[in-house]
Amino acid sequence: MQCEPRLEFALPAEPASVPQVRRAVTRQLLAWDLGDLADAVSLAASELSTNAVLHAGRAFRVPMERIADGARVAVTDAPARRPHPDLTRHRLHSR
């Protein structure tokens, strides 16, 4: 993995992606000389990845950033569509 201060990888919503996340996060933390955080952070990232696979059901991203006292890791997925308020009820009942 890269030793850049920021990186992001994208994965498909498949069960096989979860262990890939855990390995990739661990490798990157080791590259950043943050091996003491590897177990806890990779576990959290794999749990969040599992949620993305099971509940979002679409590709997801894992952005990582080296910060002063550690690392920031997230798991994000794009919404299937932008939420739109249901104005039908409002139009029917307001005058």
Side-chain angles (χ1 to χ4, degrees), residues 1 9 19-43 45 64 73:
M1 296 217 91
F9 43 95
Q20 289 176 348
V21 167
R22 191 172 183 130
R23 287 190 300 269
V25 167
T26 297
R27 279 194 308 267
Q28 188 59 48
L29 291 171
L30 291 171
W32 284 337
D33 199 26
L34 296 172
D36 56 322
L37 301 177
D39 286 342
V41 175
S42 65
L43 175 62
M64 295 182 69
V73 179

Side-chain angles (χ1 to χ4, degrees), residues 43-59:
L43 175 62
S46 67
E47 291 292 326
L48 293 170
S49 298
T50 298
N51 288 346
V53 169
L54 293 177
H55 302 296
R58 57 189 165 269

Side-chain angles (χ1 to χ4, degrees), residues 85-95:
D86 182 3
L87 300 177
T88 306
R89 239 180 37 197
H90 181 69
R91 288 184 187 134
L92 292 175
H93 299 296
S94 64
R95 294 185 182 210

Side-chain angles (χ1 to χ4, degrees), residues 43-85:
L43 175 62
S46 67
E47 291 292 326
L48 293 170
S49 298
T50 298
N51 288 346
V53 169
L54 293 177
H55 302 296
R58 57 189 165 269
F60 62 97
R61 298 185 174 282
V62 182
M64 295 182 69
E65 180 180 12
R66 175 74 162 100
I67 57 176
D69 57 348
R72 180 176 295 128
V73 179
V75 175
T76 64
D77 66 280
R81 64 178 179 83
R82 296 187 76 144
H84 296 289

